[in-house]
Amino acid sequence: MNGIDYQEHISRALDYIEENLPQELDNTVLARIAGYSEYHFLRIFKDTVKLTPADYIRKRRLTEIVRCMADGERPVSEIAFAYGFNSKENFSRAFKAEHGILPTEFKAAGNSLRLYDRVSFHLPPFHLDAVLEQRSPFCLVAYKSDEKFHPRFWNKYNAKNWSQRLSGGAVVEDIGACIWNFRENKLDYYIGILKQDAKGDLSGTTTLTIAGGLYALFQTPPSTSFNFVNTIQKTWDYIGTVWLPENGYERTGGFEFESYIEKSRKFSEKIYIPIQRKEERT
């Protein structure tokens, strides 16, 4: 059986999950709907969806709760209970484990979250053009991420209003900068504001110098608060897997950064990649 056959069978289970998302869902039933034994279903589901059924269902339920919370018409505890969370504490614990902030912090800030829509195996093609530009060096005053999954750190940054803490109350551009740490074999990620805008409380920050040079600039497609973070991730994936290989450029290894003004609520950001022609390697 090939990958397409797997997708067709798993899609039946995904459809059933969507139709019964607020209900208790059993792997035995899902396996039968997909046409597999439970053992093979669990293995194939994880191979195709990249999550276990339990993790996928939990993420889907949390996503739909967030959508309902945005409407603001029902108490959060009532929504959570409708999706299978038997207590406010259990829901808050699951929400914070997923997003790094409490539901109350999200409700107060209204920031974008990484949500999980129903998995689709037939996505439309994704394409972006880049603008090449020479940039001057600049300095960034930033907090270093303590999260492995960096959207969770953005959640903290936005929910706790760290941008205006740094700026002294002004609404300024927020910048997320990342660089590969070869010594520790991981990506170091920072979020902050331009040094000239940093006129507030700078405790706990570090100052970074972002090198000048040739950059490829990508503007993420317009989106909504619900799919903004996914659109950003899709853009980063496109840059690394499509644009760079097809256009004869490579990363220089310097800081890459993304910029956005959260309070603009425009749900589109700029991504800057320092690049050089492949033949320019020394």
Side-chain angles (χ1 to χ4, degrees):
M1 187 175 289
N2 59 38
I4 294 177
D5 292 327
Y6 288 148
Q7 292 174 3
E8 290 176 353
H9 284 252
I10 294 300
S11 287
R12 298 176 197 163
L14 292 173
D15 288 341
Y16 183 85
I17 289 170
E18 291 304 305
E19 293 165 3
N20 298 276
L21 195 56
Q23 314 303 321
E24 187 169 346
L25 293 161
D26 182 83
N27 285 335
T28 304
V29 175
L30 295 175
R32 185 173 68 248
I33 290 168
Y36 299 118
S37 69
E38 185 173 349
Y39 171 81
H40 283 95
F41 169 73
L42 293 174
R43 179 178 60 81
I44 294 168
F45 190 98
K46 189 168 184 180
D47 285 346
T48 54
V49 178
K50 311 307 179 188
L51 293 167
T52 66
D55 285 340
Y56 176 77
I57 291 166
R58 176 179 52 79
K59 288 176 183 291
R60 285 292 301 120
R61 285 173 174 164
L62 288 170
T63 291
E64 293 309 310
I65 291 170
V66 168
R67 292 182 189 277
C68 293
M69 287 171 66
D71 292 337
E73 296 179 357
R74 298 163 62 193
V76 175
S77 57
E78 178 185 316
I79 301 168
F81 183 78
Y83 278 93
F85 290 94
N86 57 13
S87 73
K88 184 178 180 180
E89 290 73 22
N90 284 343
F91 168 63
S92 294
R93 192 179 303 116
F95 191 97
K96 187 168 185 179
E98 182 71 22
H99 298 298
I101 58 175
L102 292 168
T104 50
E105 293 176 308
F106 162 69
K107 198 163 178 62
N111 55 287
S112 301
L113 299 174
R114 171 71 183 274
L115 301 181
Y116 285 80
D117 289 325
R118 181 205 185 279
V119 164
S120 173
F121 300 117
H122 305 289
L123 297 175
F126 186 85
H127 174 81
L128 279 180
D129 292 319
V131 175
L132 303 188
E133 61 176 54
Q134 290 286 338
R135 291 188 59 89
S136 300
F138 65 91
C139 289
L140 186 67
V141 175
Y143 301 102
K144 186 175 182 179
S145 174
D146 59 357
E147 296 281 356
K148 291 182 179 179
F149 186 58
H150 302 305
R152 284 166 51 95
F153 193 62
W154 272 104
N155 294 342
K156 290 183 188 177
Y157 182 88
N158 290 323
K160 298 179 185 299
N161 208 22
W162 285 348
S163 179
Q164 289 184 282
R165 178 196 295 179
L166 293 178
S167 70
V171 175
V172 298
E173 183 179 41
D174 298 309
I175 297 173
C178 59
I179 193 167
W180 188 255
N181 183 331
F182 287 95
R183 182 170 59 85
E184 299 182 17
N185 196 34
K186 68 180 184 68
L187 192 70
D188 285 342
Y189 195 89
Y190 304 81
I191 306 176
I193 65 176
L194 295 174
K195 187 175 182 180
Q196 59 263 36
D197 293 331
K199 300 173 183 178
D201 179 2
L202 309 187
S203 58
T205 64
T206 186
T207 300
L208 307 174
T209 299
I210 311 297
L214 181 63
Y215 282 78
L217 162 61
F218 300 84
Q219 181 86 45
T220 66
S223 56
T224 69
S225 63
F226 295 128
N227 63 8
F228 183 38
V229 181
N230 286 324
T231 300
I232 293 170
Q233 185 60 57
K234 189 182 297 184
T235 302
W236 278 102
D237 291 343
Y238 172 82
I239 293 168
T241 61
V242 179
W243 192 88
L244 285 168
E246 290 184 354
N247 286 275
Y249 289 98
E250 63 183 359
R251 291 174 154 101
T252 66
F255 274 103
E256 303 176 1
F257 61 97
E258 48 194 341
S259 66
Y260 176 64
I261 300 176
E262 172 68 21
K263 291 188 179 298
S264 72
R265 315 306 285 166
K266 291 182 178 179
F267 306 115
S268 177
E269 73 166 25
K270 295 177 180 179
I271 296 176
Y272 294 85
I273 309 294
I275 56 171
Q276 62 187 10
R277 282 288 184 183
K278 288 184 179 178
E279 61 267 22
E280 293 177 7
R281 285 178 292 184
T282 58

